Amino acid sequence: MEITNSTANDIAAIFALYDDAMAYQKKVFHKQWQGFAPSLVETEVAEKRQWKIVVDGQIACIFALTFEDPAIWGEKSNEPAIYIHRIVTNSAFRGGNYVPHIVAWAKDYAKSIGKQYIRMDTWGDNQRLIDYYQACGFAFLGLTEELNSASLPKHYSAIQLSLFEIALF
């Protein structure tokens, strides 16, 4: 297993994984992503913020990072943190328990670039993911106010999110 940056050659595979994830979300939860602009992923790839876990030469999982997230985290976004977004596991690798690997990698990565926190969010009413992220070492910080930001993908409109954090120092 290797965690490495995604490349421009991976963009079609990334969107195929997003499509598969949205179909899976429809089966297991009452909310799902509503798609992402190609420019978002292209920018993440170009800025080396889109990552992949490769197992036996195949993309097993993907995720993205940001270094600020003011639309969700408000003033806390000014603190030295990395924000993990859009973790997707390839359906052929589902059940591989990749989030603990992402967390271990993120701890080293965040420390190497001088960050003090690893943060992420999920839907405020997805108890299964809330419990899972806590089991992976994240502290549950509570819920956001209802979000209404034009800078966020449309599936964030008029919802609350659960916020999670790992303090490194």
Side-chain angles (χ1 to χ4, degrees):
M1 182 180 76
E2 176 186 22
I3 298 178
T4 186
N5 283 110
S6 297
T7 68
N9 292 334
D10 297 321
I11 291 176
I14 290 167
F15 278 97
L17 289 171
Y18 287 155
D19 289 344
D20 187 51
M22 288 182 281
Y24 181 73
Q25 289 169 341
K26 287 179 184 178
K27 291 179 186 176
V28 299
F29 196 58
H30 63 277
K31 294 178 184 146
Q32 57 276 326
W33 293 334
Q34 296 179 20
F36 303 98
S39 61
L40 172 71
V41 175
E42 291 164 357
T43 298
E44 290 169 345
V45 167
E47 294 177 354
K48 299 193 179 300
R49 296 185 297 105
Q50 178 68 235
W51 297 86
K52 62 186 175 182
I53 298 176
V54 178
V55 176
D56 296 330
Q58 295 183 56
I59 298 175
C61 184
I62 57 171
F63 61 97
L65 294 182
T66 61
F67 301 105
E68 58 182 19
D69 200 349
I72 295 172
W73 287 83
E75 288 299 315
K76 288 181 82 66
S77 183
N78 295 323
E79 298 172 349
I82 61 172
Y83 299 84
I84 301 172
H85 289 284
R86 299 188 319 277
I87 299 171
V88 176
T89 300
N90 181 330
S91 60
F93 292 86
R94 198 165 284 134
N97 209 25
Y98 293 103
V99 173
H101 296 288
I102 293 169
V103 168
W105 173 88
K107 286 179 178 178
D108 290 339
Y109 180 76
K111 287 177 187 176
S112 76
I113 60 171
K115 304 298 183 181
Q116 294 178 1
Y117 303 99
I118 302 167
R119 294 179 174 152
M120 61 186 310
D121 63 79
T122 194
W123 285 298
D125 58 345
N126 191 333
Q127 195 60 51
R128 184 172 153 241
L129 276 180
I130 292 167
D131 294 342
Y132 180 65
Y133 292 148
Q134 287 178 297
C136 291
F138 284 91
F140 173 66
L141 301 181
L143 298 171
T144 63
E145 297 295 321
E146 206 169 273
L147 298 173
N148 287 302
S149 174
S151 68
L152 293 170
K154 56 187 166 187
H155 57 263
Y156 281 93
S157 180
I159 65 166
Q160 286 186 304
L161 297 174
S162 296
L163 301 178
F164 302 92
E165 176 179 272
I166 294 174
L168 299 174
F169 302 105

